[in-house]
Amino acid sequence: DTAVSQTPKYLVTQMGNDKSIKCEQNLGHDTMYWYKQDSKKFLKIMFSYNNKELIINETVPNRFSPKSPDKAHLNLHINSLELGDSAVYFCASSQRPGEQPQHFGDGTRLSIL
Amino acid sequence: AQKITQTQPGMFVQEKEAVTLDCTYDTSDPSYGLFWYKQPSSGEMIFLIYQGSYDQQNATEGRYSLNFQKARKSANLVISASQLGDSAMYFCAMREGGRGSTLGRLYFGRGTQLTVWP
């Protein structure tokens, strides 16, 4: 059974479009995260939610809007996609904020044409 | 200043040999956690090992051990008896603050690409 699942695995779209990435975890964790991994493999946190409440919001353009309908889901919506948004986006979860380890999804590779 | 520094962009090791991947960290918080993750070419992030700042002993998980030197602020990963399947990118990461801290973000290093050859 997949613990943290992201869809889609690959997303190819044109500049200016709006797209969403979905994430679901079946671990019963309270905390979920979105990370961005750039072309040089550098991973950086974008957002974190705890029990549907936003607790971490790094310096991310407001074109990125996370939404957590319940504590098992954390979706990422991106408006007006730009070339620089091309990256792999990872969803992760942990029992509580700061708890270890964080369990990662398999990533969504976003390519902007 | 970088929170996590991995100075080895690439490492090579022969199968069955041991290898050490370096990691140094920077924090003034007395409570923190250190992690290693493995990312194979397939892309997923796999948790390997964890060391808490107050843990007295070095963490071990099977063939993985963490050489924790607090005074030097280093947390090197040692892989014993390397296998071909160990070829991957390895990331060192740090969480500042204690367990349950609401600021539960992980700071990642830039990674070390390990290649195991027969």
Side-chain angles (χ1 to χ4, degrees):
Chain A
D1 286 342
T2 304
V4 181
S5 59
Q6 299 178 226
T7 54
K9 191 171 175 65
Y10 300 96
L11 187 50
V12 181
T13 189
Q14 290 191 323
M15 227 167 34
N17 284 350
D18 304 339
K19 290 293 177 187
S20 292
I21 307 172
K22 295 186 176 181
C23 180
E24 176 181 4
Q25 54 95 2
N26 62 6
L27 297 166
H29 288 169
D30 287 347
T31 312
M32 296 184 73
Y33 311 80
W34 277 110
Y35 288 86
K36 179 180 179 180
Q37 186 175 41
D38 64 23
S39 58
K40 295 184 178 179
K41 300 281 191 177
F42 185 54
L43 266 158
K44 190 173 179 186
I45 192 165
M46 300 172 69
F47 302 102
S48 176
Y49 272 71
N50 186 54
N51 272 322
K52 304 189 296 177
E53 298 292 326
L54 179 67
I55 57 171
I56 294 173
N57 185 353
E58 292 294 300
T59 309
V60 176
N62 58 14
R63 298 182 295 103
F64 290 79
S65 52
K67 283 191 171 51
S68 182
D70 54 62
K71 72 176 191 178
H73 295 84
L74 180 61
N75 304 323
L76 183 65
H77 188 76
I78 315 170
N79 289 328
S80 303
L81 281 157
E82 299 177 359
L83 289 175
D85 297 333
S86 294
V88 180
Y89 293 84
F90 284 97
C91 178
S93 73
S94 63
Q95 185 64 57
R96 284 172 287 276
E99 194 69 29
Q100 53 278 335
Q102 291 186 10
H103 296 261
F104 282 77
D106 289 343
T108 295
R109 182 174 295 277
L110 174 62
S111 299
I112 310 300
L113 303 177
Chain B
Q2 284 194 38
K3 293 282 188 182
I4 295 286
T5 303
Q6 294 181 254
T7 56
Q8 307 153 316
M11 286 285 285
F12 293 84
V13 65
Q14 192 169 20
E15 203 177 6
K16 299 179 186 176
E17 297 292 311
V19 63
T20 298
L21 306 184
D22 294 342
C23 173
T24 57
Y25 59 92
D26 180 29
T27 181
S28 56
D29 197 317
S31 182
Y32 52 89
L34 297 158
F35 305 75
W36 279 91
Y37 285 86
K38 172 184 177 181
Q39 187 176 39
S41 57
S42 50
E44 69 271 30
M45 293 287 289
I46 303 166
F47 165 75
L48 294 178
I49 197 166
Y50 164 77
Q51 178 87 41
S53 59
Y54 294 118
D55 293 344
Q56 295 295 317
Q57 293 188 324
N58 286 346
T60 59
E61 288 285 349
R63 294 185 299 110
Y64 304 108
S65 60
L66 200 151
N67 184 0
F68 181 44
Q69 298 189 45
K70 201 168 182 176
R72 291 186 173 185
K73 292 190 174 180
S74 76
N76 299 339
L77 177 70
V78 180
I79 306 174
S80 62
S82 298
Q83 301 172 356
L84 295 177
D86 293 335
S87 293
M89 182 74 90
Y90 289 80
F91 291 97
C92 180
M94 177 180 66
R95 181 215 70 235
E96 282 181 322
R99 280 190 178 198
S101 166
T102 55
L103 299 178
R105 59 172 62 78
L106 285 185
Y107 298 97
F108 283 86
R110 296 228 170 233
T112 296
Q113 179 69 46
L114 175 67
T115 303
V116 181
W117 49 284

